């Protein structure tokens, strides 16, 4: 299994999931828009040039939520996701998609590219309170989005790591700041971040 990643991008969530599930994977660092070590363009794996992307046994997957769901299904039952066809499973999928659309793409994407206009940045910041308020309400008094660790938590942690870089004042939401701090001490998260931090600093 090959996992294509960029240090501390959203692909960090997949590394966390792989660590949590104790799965074997080859991690290949990429620069979107450039060629892979084997000479193929990265777009041959991920048509949008986005990470994470995964290649295994003839299967090629892109889109972060799909890659995370695939890893969750490879793991032992209950490690990264509730059992299929249960309410808890669909609640996990709800939060996984919420993080992807409302938080990652809806808020952080406009804030983290130099191509955004001032208007786009202001719009993204205006979207932030309702989304962070909802996350705070969900996490108040519990450690995980659905009451147990799942790939949705891994994804949310990866995204919240960007707050300072993106100019998002996470301190206004103490529940989220405290949750992020605690999540960073989880062994799988700590190992994943420790592996990618030198790569980020060298980039």
């Amino acid at each position: 299994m090959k996992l294509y990643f960029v240090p501390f991008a959203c692909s960090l969530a997949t590394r966390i999931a792989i660590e949590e599930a104790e799965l074997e994977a080859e991690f290949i660092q990429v620069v979107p828009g450039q060629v892979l070590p084997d000479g193929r363009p990265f777009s041959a794996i991920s048509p949008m040039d986005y990470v994470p992307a995964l290649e295994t046994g003839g299967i090629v997957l892109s889109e972060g939520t799909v890659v995370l769901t695939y890893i969750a299904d490879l793991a032992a039952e209950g490690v990264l996701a509730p059992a299929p066809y249960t309410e808890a499973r669909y609640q996990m999928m709800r939060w996984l998609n919420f993080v992807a659309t409302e938080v990652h793409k809806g808020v952080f994407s406009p804030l983290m590219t130099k191509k955004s206009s001032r208007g786009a940045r202001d719009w993204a910041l205006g979207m932030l309170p309702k989304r962070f308020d909802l996350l705070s309400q969900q996490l108040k008094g519990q450690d995980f989005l659905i009451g147990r660790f799942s790939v949705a938590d891994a994804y949310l942690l990866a995204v919240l790591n960007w707050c300072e870089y993106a100019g998002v004042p996470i301190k206004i939401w103490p529940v989220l700041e405290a949750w992020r701090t605690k999540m960073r001490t989880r062994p799988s998260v700590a190992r994943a971040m420790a592996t990618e931090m030198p790569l980020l600093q060298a980039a």
Side-chain angles (χ1 to χ4, degrees):
M1 181 167 64
K2 296 180 180 179
L3 192 283
Y4 298 89
F5 77 100
V6 171
F8 272 77
C10 58
S11 51
L12 176 65
T14 308
R15 185 186 290 272
I16 291 168
I18 289 169
E19 287 278 354
E20 186 78 24
E22 299 181 344
L23 298 173
E24 293 293 327
E26 177 185 357
F27 293 89
I28 301 173
Q29 185 173 343
V30 300
V31 177
Q34 296 188 13
V35 297
L36 299 172
D38 63 12
R40 292 177 296 168
F42 180 50
S43 59
I45 303 297
S46 177
M48 294 296 293
D49 269 330
Y50 292 157
V51 293
L54 184 142
E55 198 173 21
T56 180
I59 299 172
V60 178
L61 296 175
S62 58
E63 300 299 328
T65 56
V66 175
V67 173
L68 284 169
T69 301
Y70 180 83
I71 297 299
D73 287 340
L74 284 183
E77 187 171 310
V79 173
L80 293 173
Y85 311 114
T86 61
E87 179 184 355
R89 176 78 170 210
Y90 294 113
Q91 291 296 340
M92 181 205 75
M93 292 170 67
R94 169 200 174 196
W95 288 110
L96 194 60
N97 282 280
F98 180 86
V99 174
T101 59
E102 300 294 339
V103 184
H104 179 179
K105 294 295 186 179
V107 172
F108 281 93
S109 286
L111 296 176
M112 294 179 67
T113 175
K114 295 177 181 179
K115 296 178 181 179
S116 287
S117 65
R118 177 60 184 269
R121 291 180 58 82
D122 289 346
W123 178 85
L125 288 170
M127 299 283 280
L128 179 63
K130 186 173 183 178
R131 286 144 184 80
F132 271 29
D133 286 350
L134 183 58
L135 286 166
S136 293
Q137 291 166 16
Q138 182 67 15
L139 288 167
K140 187 175 182 180
Q142 66 175 16
D143 291 335
F144 309 112
L145 286 165
I146 60 167
R148 60 196 288 187
F149 182 81
S150 75
V151 287
D153 298 291
Y155 194 2
L156 180 58
L157 182 279
V159 171
L160 291 183
N161 277 340
W162 306 334
C163 284
E164 286 75 11
Y165 179 83
V168 170
I170 192 172
K171 290 185 180 297
I172 295 175
W173 291 273
V175 170
L176 295 185
E177 186 178 34
W179 180 86
R180 185 182 70 170
T181 298
K182 186 173 182 179
M183 277 290 294
R184 285 172 171 173
T185 67
R186 189 176 182 86
S188 61
V189 176
R191 288 194 301 270
M193 291 179 60
T195 299
E196 293 201 3
M197 182 57 74
L199 303 175
L200 177 67
Q201 293 171 338

